[in-house]
Amino acid sequence: MRERDKAKKWSKYKSCFVRVRFPDRIEIQATFSPLEKTSSIYQFVRDSLSEENQKIDFHVYISPPKTIVSPEETTNFRDLGFLPAVLLHFGINEGSQMKSPFLRPELLSNITEKLPPQQINTDQTIITKNIEQTESTITTTTTIETTETTTTTESGNAKSLPSWFSKGKKH
């Protein structure tokens, strides 16, 4: 019964999106069939590396916890739980040296920026959330902007509503 439910759940995915993040925070993305083996990821990454870095010994891993995805893995993406998408990290095996830039120049020329953080508009409050990550720290900044409600009196003067009168606010 469980296996049938699991097969039904996974059968709706016709492709698997794989992103590989390099140490310089550049990501490459490809679409694979859910039945492909992990060796296809390694071939995709190797084909994306620059000429100087084609011969290095590398691995890709999922985190957390750090779990290295073996190139000789006989299970497919579906069985590894990579559906519908997975973010893999690029690592260099001990004894190997990489030269920057990691990727081929024609790939670097096609780099596009990620979209800016999304703004959520809820009842006159705009919430913007930015997450910045450096190599040593993670900083999360949340900005909340509230628009002020004003009323006009008979004399024409604009007057703001008292704070206890705000919609949805309980005291």
Side-chain angles (χ1 to χ4, degrees), residues 56-70:
I56 65 152
D57 193 23
F58 69 91
H59 60 273
V60 292
Y61 61 94
I62 338 170
S63 178
K66 183 175 181 178
T67 307
I68 295 176
V69 178
S70 171

Side-chain angles (χ1 to χ4, degrees), residues 82-138:
F82 287 179
L83 295 179
V86 65
L87 173 64
L88 299 171
H89 301 274
F90 179 87
I92 304 167
N93 293 341
E94 288 186 37
S96 294
Q97 291 284 332
M98 278 198 83
K99 297 180 180 123
S100 191
F102 297 113
L103 300 174
R104 294 189 330 237
E106 55 269 15
L107 291 177
L108 291 174
S109 66
N110 292 333
I111 289 180
T112 58
E113 292 291 323
K114 286 189 175 179
L115 296 175
Q118 184 180 10
Q119 288 191 349
I120 303 168
N121 191 0
T122 58
D123 288 343
Q124 301 174 349
T125 303
I126 298 174
I127 302 170
T128 305
K129 190 168 186 176
N130 286 331
I131 299 176
E132 272 185 43
Q133 182 175 3
T134 60
E135 292 178 11
S136 59
T137 61
I138 297 175

Side-chain angles (χ1 to χ4, degrees), residues 14-39:
K14 303 297 180 211
S15 61
C16 176
F17 294 99
V18 176
R19 282 189 179 172
V20 179
R21 181 176 289 163
F22 286 87
D24 59 357
R25 301 199 56 189
I26 292 178
E27 294 176 355
I28 56 175
Q29 178 177 317
T31 305
F32 294 94
S33 165
L35 301 176
E36 286 191 59
K37 308 287 187 237
T38 57
S39 59

